[in-house]
Amino acid sequence: LGNINLEATPSRLRPPRLPPWYPDILVVSVYLAEFEKNRQVKGIYQLKNAIEDAVISSNHNSRPLIYIAGDFNGANIYPLTNQLQLQQLNKTATRGERCLDLILTNAPSCYVSETWPELGSSDHKTVVSTPRATSYKELLPETEIKLVRSGKIDDKDL
């Protein structure tokens, strides 16, 4: 694929507050320092493969919560979001009129995103995401529990 100017730092985390259906979190910080479209496509392809490898190499039977944040320099992220089933949390401009700094995840209902002013001499706004105020238990689908003693469901057992 050639020498693509892509920096990606993956980390696996197991924080104390995590939705129970995820074994851990795969966090990836990204800086895609390419402006030529062909090279951006190759960089996104390399990033997608690296994330797929990290998910496959997991020792768990279920997929981790995937959280990717970084500067994509306007690259087309559709192949990444489509094939890894990710959604973009932030939609507001982060540099001028463009949204270059993105947060992508496979658990968009668990987080909210805000865009803050630039820090120091940066020309990029700061993007922050935090867990929703509601507990993760509230996000689970409701389940109905029926007590069964003899194999028959009886109104008095409910």
Side-chain angles (χ1 to χ4, degrees):
L1 290 175
N3 189 12
I4 302 299
N5 201 357
L6 169 70
E7 296 174 22
T9 306
S11 302
R12 279 201 179 273
L13 305 173
R14 181 73 181 142
R17 186 173 175 209
L18 184 65
W21 52 92
Y22 293 110
D24 53 11
I25 300 177
L26 176 62
V27 178
V28 183
S29 63
V30 174
Y31 176 55
L32 179 58
E34 295 291 349
F35 298 97
E36 198 269 319
K37 294 293 180 200
N38 224 13
R39 294 178 65 78
Q40 284 182 339
V41 168
K42 290 177 182 177
I44 294 296
Y45 179 78
Q46 285 180 343
L47 180 61
K48 179 191 73 69
N49 287 342
I51 293 168
E52 284 176 340
D53 289 347
V55 169
I56 290 169
S57 69
S58 172
N59 294 330
H60 306 289
N61 291 332
S62 59
R63 280 182 64 181
L65 189 153
I66 300 171
Y67 189 92
I68 304 168
D71 184 349
F72 287 83
N73 275 316
N76 178 8
I77 59 165
Y78 181 74
L80 186 66
T81 58
N82 184 43
Q83 293 180 10
L84 296 174
Q85 299 172 343
L86 303 174
Q87 292 184 26
Q88 182 178 337
L89 288 182
N90 63 312
K91 304 281 186 190
T92 58
T94 57
R95 183 172 187 242
E97 298 296 316
R98 299 180 66 198
C99 187
L100 304 177
D101 308 289
L102 308 175
I103 298 176
L104 310 172
T105 183
N106 61 343
S109 62
C110 295
Y111 295 95
V112 291
S113 171
E114 296 178 19
T115 303
W116 295 355
E118 300 85 351
L119 285 176
S121 61
S122 175
D123 61 347
H124 289 249
K125 292 185 175 147
T126 304
V127 182
V128 177
S129 85
T130 54
R132 292 192 180 274
T134 58
S135 76
Y136 290 121
K137 288 181 181 178
E138 292 174 11
L139 298 174
L140 288 173
E142 289 186 32
T143 57
E144 186 177 335
I145 299 173
K146 295 183 180 183
L147 300 175
V148 179
R149 293 191 183 168
S150 65
K152 296 180 182 177
I153 298 177
D154 194 353
D155 286 341
K156 68 180 178 180
D157 291 334
L158 299 176

